Amino acid sequence: MPDHRRDAELARGLADEAGRLLLDVREQGLTGRELAADGDARSHEHLLGRLQQERPGDAVLSEEGEDDAARLSSERVWIVDPLDGTREFAEAGRTDWAVHVALWQRDELVAGAVALPARGVTFGTDVPARRPTGLPAPIRLAVSRSRPPAFVGALAERIGAELVPMGSAGVKATAVLDDAADAYVHAGGQYEWDSAAPVAVCRSSGLWTSRLDGSALRYNRRDPLLPDLLVCRPEIAELLLTELRAYLPEVD
């Protein structure tokens, strides 16, 4: 069994470094789209440079980089989102944005970290967080504040759940770990870099992670589109998957 401890430690270190850089970028006077673009670009360049330094033989798939088909034949691929929650990063005072760093190897996510720099918190597979347990009542569903799934209101009414809107896939997924939500339901468009690190982190803590139909999440595919996601406490996975069946025809 490969020992991915050093990879997990590296993922955390890189996410923290990029997070500090982004906090500095936020203090340099830019606003709006200029701020978001500068943050995205500088965080990407930092992560790419550090990965070339630390793991020169590995491939990289980044939201901000040109996709290189060579990654499809690589044994190890780092999947990164240098700034997840760009809209929230550009809004003064918001803390719901993140840095994602994950490592895929031989069909599995083997290491990952999600840094929430504005909150001073990083979740990583090197030290898995202890997850909340038990049956929540009511269930709190983390959903996108800007692009919630069309069916999520009906789902919430059907199971008596509360909606908790927030930005960033990483923030929403780790909200299940820090007990700010009990599940994260997403449909309507995401890519591998949006979910790889959050899924690695949440899975390492024992949370349920899958597509909305219950099938496995697959990474490092030719088309990185991975449009829907369920992260939740395992105690409510069966309930949610059963209820979600009614809405699967609406999921693209």
Side-chain angles (χ1 to χ4, degrees), residues 11-125:
R12 178 186 289 272
L14 296 180
D16 284 343
E17 290 172 11
R20 288 192 291 272
L21 183 152
L22 286 165
L23 289 173
D24 289 342
V25 170
R26 237 185 171 192
E27 297 299 318
Q28 293 176 3
L30 297 176
T31 59
R33 291 183 179 179
E34 279 189 324
L35 172 60
D38 194 49
D40 261 331
R42 292 176 61 180
S43 183
H44 166 74
E45 289 301 322
H46 179 81
L47 291 173
L48 200 64
R50 292 284 288 120
L51 284 169
Q52 288 172 345
Q53 181 181 48
E54 297 287 344
R55 299 290 190 272
D58 295 352
V60 179
L61 172 64
S62 169
E63 181 182 17
E64 301 305 318
E66 186 175 348
D67 192 4
D68 185 348
R71 67 177 170 80
L72 298 173
S73 57
S74 178
E75 185 172 317
R76 290 162 51 95
V77 181
W78 292 86
I79 303 174
V80 304
D81 189 342
L83 173 52
D84 184 68
T86 307
R87 178 195 300 258
E88 287 73 25
F89 175 76
E91 293 183 24
R94 292 203 69 96
T95 63
D96 47 349
W97 51 276
V99 178
H100 297 176
V101 179
L103 175 63
W104 172 96
Q105 181 173 4
R106 297 175 185 165
D107 296 329
E108 295 290 344
L109 296 172
V110 295
V114 176
L116 314 182
R119 300 180 184 179
V121 176
T122 299
F123 296 89
T125 58

Side-chain angles (χ1 to χ4, degrees), residues 93-176:
R94 292 203 69 96
T95 63
D96 47 349
W97 51 276
V99 178
H100 297 176
V101 179
L103 175 63
W104 172 96
Q105 181 173 4
R106 297 175 185 165
D107 296 329
E108 295 290 344
L109 296 172
V110 295
V114 176
L116 314 182
R119 300 180 184 179
V121 176
T122 299
F123 296 89
T125 58
D126 56 337
V127 185
R130 179 176 296 181
R131 70 171 182 86
T133 59
L135 290 172
I139 294 172
R140 299 160 297 172
L141 296 178
V143 296
S144 170
R145 65 185 282 252
S146 58
R147 296 180 298 115
F151 61 79
V152 76
L155 172 65
E157 184 174 354
R158 191 177 169 112
I159 63 175
E162 296 178 352
L163 298 183
V164 187
M166 59 185 83
S168 166
V171 171
K172 290 189 280 287
T174 56
V176 184

